[in-house]
């Protein structure tokens, strides 16, 4: 396998380490996290300095919108696949950990391509917000050192 193919294989994966499963972390995410939304997906996210940089993602679909588990599971599969393909938009910070919870908030299942566009726009908003926060931190640091 060539070097590029192995890089691409790593780029589009969703390993166990990238899954947000800890109840404590999820509770902390909802208590101190921020929110961005592009209908029908809302992202609650939190950025923290960490020894283990990267992105952790969880996906949820409410029973309120889809009573049948089959439909909820279908939407969750679609969301996870959209994340897997568009995760490169959130990567980039080597010293911070991003935790994201994606919530689907509609009664209708979007087509995959439309949902992927929504996720792209949402991840671009998150990345832009993260860059603004890091530039604000970068501005404050030189004042503290001087």
């Amino acid at each position: 396998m060539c070097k590029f193919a192995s890089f691409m294989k790593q780029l589009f994966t969703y390993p166990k380490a990238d899954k947000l499963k800890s109840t404590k972390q999820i509770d902390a995410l909802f208590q101190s996290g921020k929110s961005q939304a592009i209908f029908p997906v809302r992202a609650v996210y939190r950025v923290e300095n960490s020894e283990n940089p990267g992105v952790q993602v969880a996906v949820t679909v409410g029973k309120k919108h889809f009573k049948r588990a089959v439909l909820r599971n279908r939407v969750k599969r679609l969301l996870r696949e959209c994340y897997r393909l568009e995760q490169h938009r959130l990567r980039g910070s080597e010293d911070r950990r991003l935790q994201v919870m994606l919530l689907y908030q509609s009664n209708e299942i979007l087509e995959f391509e439309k949902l992927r566009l929504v996720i792209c726009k949402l991840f671009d908003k998150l990345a832009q917000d993260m860059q603004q926060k890091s530039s604000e931190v970068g501005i404050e640091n030189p004042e503290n050192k001087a």
Side-chain angles (χ1 to χ4, degrees), residues 60-127:
T60 186
V61 179
K63 250 188 205 183
K64 175 182 172 183
H65 299 293
F66 295 100
K67 301 292 185 202
R68 295 182 178 247
V70 172
L71 296 176
R72 285 195 306 275
N73 291 338
R74 167 87 176 136
V75 175
K76 287 191 280 188
R77 278 195 309 273
L78 289 171
L79 283 171
R80 281 192 296 263
E81 182 66 9
C82 289
Y83 165 74
R84 187 183 72 81
L85 295 173
E86 300 300 331
Q87 65 185 334
H88 62 276
R89 296 175 185 275
L90 296 177
R91 306 260 180 217
S93 176
E94 298 175 4
D95 61 338
R96 296 185 299 169
R97 181 163 223 44
L98 174 65
Q99 297 174 333
V100 181
M101 172 73 80
L102 297 174
L103 299 107
Y104 193 84
Q105 300 180 317
S106 175
N107 294 334
E108 297 177 8
I109 300 176
L110 280 181
E111 293 176 14
F112 177 73
E113 288 303 320
K114 289 181 182 178
L115 185 60
R116 189 172 173 188
L117 287 174
V118 168
I119 294 291
C120 287
K121 290 176 187 176
L122 186 61
F123 284 179
D124 287 342
K125 277 177 85 171
L126 290 179

Coordinates of all heavy atoms in Angstrom, one line a residue, residues 60-127:
T60 N -26.8 11.8 18.7 CA -28.1 11.4 19.3 C -29.3 11.9 18.5 O -29.2 12.9 17.8 CB -28.2 12.0 20.8 OG1 -29.3 11.4 21.4 CG2 -28.2 13.5 20.8
V61 N -30.3 11.1 18.6 CA -31.6 11.4 17.9 C -32.7 11.2 18.9 O -32.7 10.1 19.5 CB -31.8 10.6 16.7 CG1 -33.1 10.9 16.0 CG2 -30.7 10.7 15.7
G62 N -33.5 12.2 19.2 CA -34.6 12.1 20.2 C -35.7 11.2 19.8 O -36.2 11.1 18.7
K63 N -36.3 10.5 20.9 CA -37.5 9.8 20.7 C -38.7 10.6 20.3 O -39.7 10.2 19.7 CB -37.8 9.0 22.0 CG -37.6 7.6 22.0 CD -38.2 7.0 23.2 CE -37.5 5.7 23.5 NZ -38.0 5.0 24.7
K64 N -38.6 11.9 20.7 CA -39.6 12.9 20.4 C -39.9 13.0 18.9 O -41.0 13.1 18.4 CB -39.2 14.2 21.0 CG -40.2 15.3 20.7 CD -39.6 16.6 21.3 CE -40.4 17.8 20.8 NZ -39.8 19.1 21.3
H65 N -38.8 12.9 18.1 CA -38.8 13.1 16.7 C -39.1 11.8 15.9 O -39.8 11.7 14.9 CB -37.6 13.7 16.2 CG -37.3 15.1 16.7 ND1 -38.2 16.2 16.5 CD2 -36.4 15.5 17.6 CE1 -37.7 17.2 17.2 NE2 -36.7 16.9 17.8
F66 N -38.5 10.7 16.4 CA -38.6 9.4 15.8 C -39.0 8.3 16.9 O -38.1 7.9 17.6 CB -37.3 9.0 15.1 CG -37.0 9.9 13.9 CD1 -36.0 10.8 14.1 CD2 -37.6 9.7 12.7 CE1 -35.7 11.7 13.0 CE2 -37.3 10.6 11.6 CZ -36.3 11.5 11.8
K67 N -40.2 7.9 16.9 CA -40.6 7.0 17.9 C -40.0 5.6 17.7 O -39.7 4.9 18.7 CB -42.2 6.8 17.9 CG -42.9 8.1 18.1 CD -42.8 8.5 19.5 CE -43.7 9.8 19.7 NZ -43.2 10.6 20.8
R68 N -39.8 5.2 16.5 CA -39.3 3.9 16.2 C -37.7 3.9 16.2 O -37.1 4.7 15.5 CB -39.8 3.4 14.8 CG -41.3 3.2 14.8 CD -41.8 2.6 13.5 NE -43.2 2.4 13.6 CZ -43.7 1.2 13.5 NH1 -43.0 0.2 13.4 NH2 -45.0 1.1 13.6
A69 N -37.2 2.9 16.9 CA -35.7 2.8 17.0 C -35.1 2.6 15.7 O -33.9 3.0 15.5 CB -35.4 1.6 18.0
V70 N -35.7 1.9 14.8 CA -35.2 1.7 13.4 C -34.8 3.0 12.8 O -33.8 3.2 12.2 CB -36.1 0.8 12.6 CG1 -35.7 0.7 11.2 CG2 -36.3 -0.5 13.2
L71 N -35.8 3.9 12.8 CA -35.6 5.2 12.2 C -34.5 6.0 12.9 O -33.7 6.7 12.3 CB -36.9 6.0 12.1 CG -37.9 5.4 11.3 CD1 -39.2 6.2 11.3 CD2 -37.5 5.3 9.8
R72 N -34.5 6.0 14.3 CA -33.5 6.7 15.1 C -32.1 6.2 14.7 O -31.2 6.9 14.5 CB -33.7 6.5 16.6 CG -34.8 7.4 17.1 CD -34.8 7.5 18.6 NE -34.8 6.2 19.3 CZ -35.8 5.5 19.6 NH1 -37.0 5.9 19.3 NH2 -35.7 4.3 20.3
N73 N -32.0 4.9 14.6 CA -30.7 4.3 14.3 C -30.2 4.6 12.9 O -29.1 4.8 12.6 CB -30.7 2.7 14.4 CG -30.9 2.3 15.9 OD1 -30.5 3.1 16.8 ND2 -31.4 1.1 16.1
R74 N -31.2 4.7 12.0 CA -30.9 5.1 10.6 C -30.3 6.5 10.6 O -29.3 6.8 9.9 CB -32.1 5.1 9.7 CG -32.1 5.7 8.4 CD -31.5 4.8 7.3 NE -31.5 5.5 6.0 CZ -30.5 5.4 5.2 NH1 -29.5 4.7 5.5 NH2 -30.6 6.1 4.1
V75 N -30.9 7.5 11.3 CA -30.4 8.8 11.3 C -29.1 8.9 12.0 O -28.2 9.6 11.5 CB -31.5 9.8 12.0 CG1 -30.9 11.2 12.2 CG2 -32.8 9.8 11.2
K76 N -28.9 8.1 13.0 CA -27.6 8.1 13.7 C -26.5 7.6 12.8 O -25.4 8.1 12.7 CB -27.6 7.3 15.0 CG -28.4 8.0 16.1 CD -28.2 7.3 17.4 CE -29.1 6.1 17.5 NZ -29.1 5.6 18.9
R77 N -26.8 6.6 12.0 CA -25.8 6.1 11.0 C -25.5 7.1 10.0 O -24.3 7.3 9.6 CB -26.4 4.8 10.3 CG -26.2 3.5 11.1 CD -26.4 2.3 10.3 NE -27.6 2.3 9.5 CZ -28.8 1.9 9.9 NH1 -28.9 1.4 11.1 NH2 -29.8 1.9 9.1
L78 N -26.5 7.8 9.5 CA -26.2 8.9 8.6 C -25.3 10.0 9.2 O -24.4 10.5 8.5 CB -27.5 9.5 8.1 CG -28.4 8.6 7.2 CD1 -29.8 9.3 6.9 CD2 -27.7 8.4 5.8
L79 N -25.6 10.4 10.4 CA -24.8 11.4 11.0 C -23.4 11.0 11.3 O -22.4 11.8 11.0 CB -25.4 11.8 12.4 CG -26.7 12.7 12.3 CD1 -27.3 12.8 13.7 CD2 -26.3 14.1 11.8
R80 N -23.2 9.8 11.7 CA -21.8 9.3 11.9 C -21.1 9.2 10.6 O -19.9 9.5 10.5 CB -21.9 7.9 12.6 CG -22.1 8.0 14.1 CD -21.8 6.6 14.7 NE -22.8 5.6 14.3 CZ -23.9 5.3 15.0 NH1 -24.2 5.9 16.1 NH2 -24.7 4.3 14.5
E81 N -21.7 8.8 9.5 CA -21.1 8.7 8.2 C -20.7 10.1 7.7 O -19.6 10.3 7.2 CB -22.0 8.0 7.2 CG -21.4 7.9 5.8 CD -20.1 6.9 5.8 OE1 -19.8 6.3 6.8 OE2 -19.5 6.9 4.7
C82 N -21.6 11.1 7.9 CA -21.3 12.5 7.6 C -20.1 13.0 8.4 O -19.2 13.6 7.8 CB -22.5 13.4 7.8 SG -23.8 13.1 6.6
Y83 N -20.0 12.7 9.6 CA -18.9 13.1 10.5 C -17.6 12.4 9.9 O -16.6 13.0 9.8 CB -19.1 12.7 11.9 CG -17.8 12.8 12.7 CD1 -17.2 14.0 13.0 CD2 -17.1 11.6 13.0 CE1 -16.0 14.1 13.7 CE2 -15.9 11.7 13.7 CZ -15.3 12.9 14.0 OH -14.1 13.0 14.6
R84 N -17.7 11.1 9.6 CA -16.5 10.4 9.2 C -15.9 11.0 7.9 O -14.7 11.2 7.8 CB -16.9 8.9 8.9 CG -15.7 8.0 8.6 CD -16.2 6.6 8.2 NE -16.8 6.6 6.9 CZ -16.2 6.5 5.8 NH1 -14.8 6.5 5.8 NH2 -16.8 6.4 4.7
L85 N -16.8 11.5 7.0 CA -16.3 12.0 5.8 C -15.9 13.5 5.9 O -15.1 14.0 5.1 CB -17.4 11.9 4.7 CG -17.7 10.5 4.3 CD1 -18.9 10.5 3.4 CD2 -16.5 9.8 3.7
E86 N -16.4 14.2 6.9 CA -16.1 15.6 7.0 C -15.3 16.0 8.3 O -15.2 17.2 8.6 CB -17.4 16.4 7.0 CG -18.2 16.3 5.7 CD -17.5 16.7 4.5 OE1 -16.6 17.6 4.5 OE2 -17.8 16.1 3.4
Q87 N -14.8 15.0 8.9 CA -14.0 15.3 10.2 C -12.8 16.1 10.0 O -12.4 16.8 10.9 CB -13.7 14.0 10.9 CG -12.7 13.1 10.1 CD -12.5 11.8 10.8 OE1 -12.6 11.7 12.0 NE2 -12.1 10.8 10.0
H88 N -12.2 16.1 8.8 CA -11.0 16.9 8.5 C -11.3 18.4 8.7 O -10.3 19.2 9.0 CB -10.5 16.6 7.1 CG -11.5 17.0 6.0 ND1 -12.5 16.2 5.6 CD2 -11.6 18.2 5.3 CE1 -13.2 16.8 4.7 NE2 -12.7 18.0 4.5
R89 N -12.5 18.8 8.7 CA -12.8 20.3 8.9 C -12.6 20.7 10.3 O -12.5 21.9 10.6 CB -14.3 20.6 8.5 CG -14.5 20.3 7.0 CD -16.0 20.5 6.6 NE -16.2 20.2 5.2 CZ -16.1 21.1 4.2 NH1 -15.7 22.3 4.5 NH2 -16.3 20.7 3.0
L90 N -12.7 19.7 11.3 CA -12.5 20.0 12.7 C -11.1 19.8 13.2 O -10.8 20.2 14.3 CB -13.5 19.2 13.5 CG -15.0 19.4 13.3 CD1 -15.8 18.4 14.1 CD2 -15.3 20.8 13.6
R91 N -10.3 19.1 12.4 CA -8.9 18.8 12.9 C -8.1 20.1 12.7 O -8.4 21.0 12.0 CB -8.4 17.7 12.1 CG -9.2 16.4 12.0 CD -8.7 15.4 13.0 NE -9.6 14.3 12.9 CZ -9.9 13.6 14.0 NH1 -9.5 13.9 15.2 NH2 -10.7 12.5 13.9
G92 N -6.9 20.0 13.3 CA -6.0 21.2 13.1 C -5.3 21.6 14.4 O -4.1 22.0 14.4
S93 N -6.0 21.6 15.5 CA -5.4 22.1 16.7 C -4.6 20.9 17.4 O -5.2 19.8 17.6 CB -6.4 22.6 17.7 OG -5.8 22.9 18.9
E94 N -3.4 21.1 17.6 CA -2.6 20.0 18.2 C -2.4 19.9 19.7 O -1.9 19.0 20.2 CB -1.2 20.0 17.5 CG -1.2 19.9 16.0 CD 0.1 20.1 15.4 OE1 1.1 20.2 16.1 OE2 0.2 20.0 14.1
D95 N -3.0 20.9 20.3 CA -2.8 21.0 21.8 C -4.2 21.0 22.5 O -4.2 21.1 23.7 CB -2.0 22.2 22.2 CG -2.6 23.5 21.8 OD1 -3.5 23.5 20.9 OD2 -2.3 24.5 22.4
R96 N -5.3 20.9 21.7 CA -6.6 21.0 22.4 C -7.5 19.8 22.0 O -7.3 19.2 20.9 CB -7.3 22.3 22.0 CG -6.6 23.5 22.5 CD -7.3 24.8 22.2 NE -7.4 24.9 20.7 CZ -8.2 25.8 20.2 NH1 -8.9 26.6 20.9 NH2 -8.2 25.9 18.9
R97 N -8.4 19.5 22.8 CA -9.4 18.4 22.6 C -10.7 19.0 22.4 O -11.2 19.9 23.1 CB -9.4 17.5 23.8 CG -10.4 16.3 23.5 CD -10.1 15.2 24.5 NE -10.1 13.9 24.1 CZ -9.6 13.3 23.0 NH1 -9.0 14.1 22.1 NH2 -9.7 12.1 22.7
L98 N -11.4 18.6 21.3 CA -12.7 19.1 21.0 C -13.7 18.0 21.2 O -13.5 16.9 20.8 CB -12.8 19.5 19.5 CG -14.2 19.9 19.0 CD1 -14.7 21.2 19.7 CD2 -14.1 20.1 17.5
Q99 N -14.7 18.3 22.0 CA -15.8 17.3 22.3 C -17.1 17.9 21.7 O -17.4 19.0 21.9 CB -16.0 17.1 23.8 CG -14.8 16.5 24.4 CD -14.9 16.4 25.9 OE1 -15.6 17.2 26.5 NE2 -14.2 15.4 26.5
V100 N -17.7 17.0 20.9 CA -18.9 17.5 20.1 C -20.0 16.5 20.3 O -19.8 15.3 20.2 CB -18.6 17.6 18.6 CG1 -19.9 18.1 17.9 CG2 -17.5 18.6 18.4
M101 N -21.2 17.0 20.5 CA -22.4 16.1 20.5 C -23.3 16.6 19.4 O -23.7 17.8 19.4 CB -23.2 16.2 21.9 CG -24.5 15.5 21.9 SD -24.5 13.8 22.0 CE -24.2 13.5 23.7
L102 N -23.6 15.8 18.5 CA -24.5 16.2 17.3 C -25.9 15.7 17.7 O -26.2 14.5 17.9 CB -24.0 15.5 16.0 CG -22.6 15.9 15.6 CD1 -22.3 15.1 14.3 CD2 -22.6 17.4 15.2
L103 N -26.9 16.6 17.6 CA -28.3 16.3 17.9 C -29.1 16.6 16.7 O -29.1 17.7 16.1 CB -28.8 17.2 19.1 CG -28.1 17.1 20.4 CD1 -27.2 18.3 20.6 CD2 -29.1 16.9 21.5
Y104 N -29.9 15.6 16.3 CA -30.7 15.7 15.1 C -32.1 16.2 15.6 O -32.7 15.6 16.5 CB -30.8 14.4 14.4 CG -31.5 14.5 13.0 CD1 -30.7 14.8 11.9 CD2 -32.8 14.2 12.8 CE1 -31.3 14.9 10.7 CE2 -33.4 14.3 11.6 CZ -32.6 14.7 10.5 OH -33.2 14.8 9.2
Q105 N -32.6 17.3 15.0 CA -33.8 17.9 15.6 C -34.9 18.1 14.5 O -35.4 19.2 14.3 CB -33.5 19.2 16.3 CG -32.5 19.0 17.4 CD -32.2 20.3 18.1 OE1 -31.9 21.3 17.4 NE2 -32.1 20.3 19.4
S106 N -35.3 17.1 13.8 CA -36.3 17.2 12.8 C -37.1 15.9 12.8 O -36.7 14.9 13.2 CB -35.7 17.5 11.4 OG -36.7 17.5 10.5
N107 N -38.3 16.0 12.3 CA -39.2 14.8 12.2 C -39.0 14.1 10.9 O -39.5 13.0 10.7 CB -40.7 15.2 12.3 CG -41.0 15.8 13.7 OD1 -40.3 15.4 14.6 ND2 -42.0 16.6 13.8
E108 N -38.2 14.7 9.9 CA -38.0 14.1 8.6 C -36.6 13.7 8.5 O -35.7 14.5 8.9 CB -38.5 15.0 7.5 CG -39.9 15.3 7.6 CD -40.3 16.3 6.5 OE1 -39.5 16.6 5.6 OE2 -41.5 16.8 6.5
I109 N -36.3 12.6 7.8 CA -34.9 12.2 7.5 C -34.5 12.9 6.2 O -35.1 12.7 5.2 CB -34.8 10.7 7.4 CG1 -35.3 10.0 8.6 CG2 -33.4 10.3 7.0 CD1 -35.3 8.5 8.5
L110 N -33.4 13.7 6.3 CA -32.8 14.3 5.2 C -32.1 13.3 4.3 O -31.6 12.3 4.8 CB -31.8 15.4 5.6 CG -32.3 16.7 6.0 CD1 -31.2 17.6 6.4 CD2 -33.2 17.4 5.0
E111 N -32.0 13.6 3.0 CA -31.2 12.7 2.1 C -29.8 12.9 2.6 O -29.4 13.9 3.1 CB -31.4 13.2 0.7 CG -32.7 13.0 0.1 CD -32.8 13.5 -1.3 OE1 -31.8 13.8 -1.9 OE2 -34.0 13.6 -1.8
F112 N -28.9 11.9 2.3 CA -27.6 11.9 2.7 C -26.8 13.1 2.3 O -26.1 13.7 3.0 CB -26.9 10.6 2.3 CG -25.4 10.6 2.7 CD1 -25.0 10.4 4.0 CD2 -24.4 10.8 1.7 CE1 -23.7 10.3 4.3 CE2 -23.1 10.7 2.1 CZ -22.7 10.5 3.4
E113 N -26.9 13.5 1.0 CA -26.1 14.6 0.5 C -26.5 15.9 1.1 O -25.7 16.8 1.4 CB -26.3 14.7 -1.1 CG -25.5 13.6 -1.8 CD -24.0 13.5 -1.5 OE1 -23.4 14.6 -1.4 OE2 -23.5 12.4 -1.3
K114 N -27.8 16.1 1.3 CA -28.3 17.3 2.0 C -27.8 17.4 3.4 O -27.3 18.4 3.9 CB -29.8 17.4 2.0 CG -30.3 17.7 0.6 CD -31.9 17.8 0.6 CE -32.4 18.0 -0.8 NZ -33.8 18.0 -0.8
L115 N -27.8 16.2 4.1 CA -27.3 16.2 5.5 C -25.8 16.4 5.5 O -25.3 17.1 6.4 CB -27.7 14.8 6.1 CG -27.3 14.6 7.6 CD1 -28.1 15.7 8.4 CD2 -27.6 13.2 8.0
R116 N -25.1 15.9 4.6 CA -23.7 16.1 4.5 C -23.4 17.6 4.3 O -22.4 18.2 4.9 CB -23.1 15.3 3.4 CG -21.6 15.3 3.4 CD -21.0 14.3 2.4 NE -19.6 14.5 2.3 CZ -18.8 13.9 1.5 NH1 -19.3 13.0 0.6 NH2 -17.5 14.1 1.4
L117 N -24.1 18.3 3.5 CA -23.9 19.8 3.3 C -24.2 20.5 4.6 O -23.5 21.5 5.0 CB -24.8 20.3 2.2 CG -24.4 19.9 0.8 CD1 -25.5 20.4 -0.2 CD2 -23.1 20.5 0.4
V118 N -25.2 20.1 5.3 CA -25.5 20.7 6.6 C -24.4 20.5 7.6 O -23.9 21.5 8.3 CB -26.8 20.2 7.2 CG1 -27.0 20.6 8.7 CG2 -28.0 20.6 6.4
I119 N -23.8 19.3 7.6 CA -22.7 19.0 8.5 C -21.5 19.8 8.1 O -20.7 20.3 9.0 CB -22.4 17.5 8.5 CG1 -23.6 16.7 9.2 CG2 -21.1 17.1 9.2 CD1 -23.8 16.9 10.6
C120 N -21.2 19.9 6.8 CA -20.1 20.7 6.3 C -20.2 22.2 6.8 O -19.2 22.7 7.4 CB -20.0 20.7 4.8 SG -19.5 19.2 4.1
K121 N -21.3 22.8 6.7 CA -21.5 24.1 7.1 C -21.4 24.3 8.6 O -20.8 25.2 9.1 CB -22.9 24.6 6.7 CG -23.1 24.8 5.2 CD -24.5 25.3 4.8 CE -24.7 25.3 3.3 NZ -26.1 25.6 3.0
L122 N -21.9 23.3 9.3 CA -21.9 23.3 10.8 C -20.4 23.2 11.2 O -20.0 23.9 12.1 CB -22.7 22.2 11.4 CG -22.9 22.2 12.9 CD1 -23.5 23.5 13.4 CD2 -23.7 21.0 13.3
F123 N -19.7 22.3 10.7 CA -18.3 22.1 11.1 C -17.4 23.3 10.7 O -16.5 23.7 11.4 CB -17.7 20.8 10.4 CG -18.2 19.5 11.1 CD1 -17.8 18.3 10.6 CD2 -19.0 19.5 12.1 CE1 -18.2 17.1 11.2 CE2 -19.5 18.4 12.7 CZ -19.0 17.2 12.2
D124 N -17.8 23.9 9.6 CA -17.0 25.2 9.2 C -17.3 26.3 10.2 O -16.4 27.0 10.6 CB -17.4 25.6 7.8 CG -16.8 24.8 6.7 OD1 -15.9 24.0 7.0 OD2 -17.4 24.8 5.6
K125 N -18.5 26.4 10.7 CA -18.9 27.3 11.8 C -18.1 27.0 13.0 O -17.6 27.9 13.7 CB -20.4 27.3 12.1 CG -21.2 28.2 11.1 CD -22.7 28.1 11.5 CE -23.1 29.0 12.5 NZ -24.6 29.1 12.7
L126 N -18.0 25.8 13.4 CA -17.3 25.3 14.6 C -15.8 25.7 14.5 O -15.2 26.2 15.4 CB -17.5 23.9 14.9 CG -18.9 23.4 15.4 CD1 -18.9 21.9 15.5 CD2 -19.3 24.1 16.6
A127 N -15.3 25.3 13.3 CA -13.8 25.6 13.1 C -13.5 27.1 13.2 O -12.5 27.5 13.7 CB -13.4 25.0 11.8

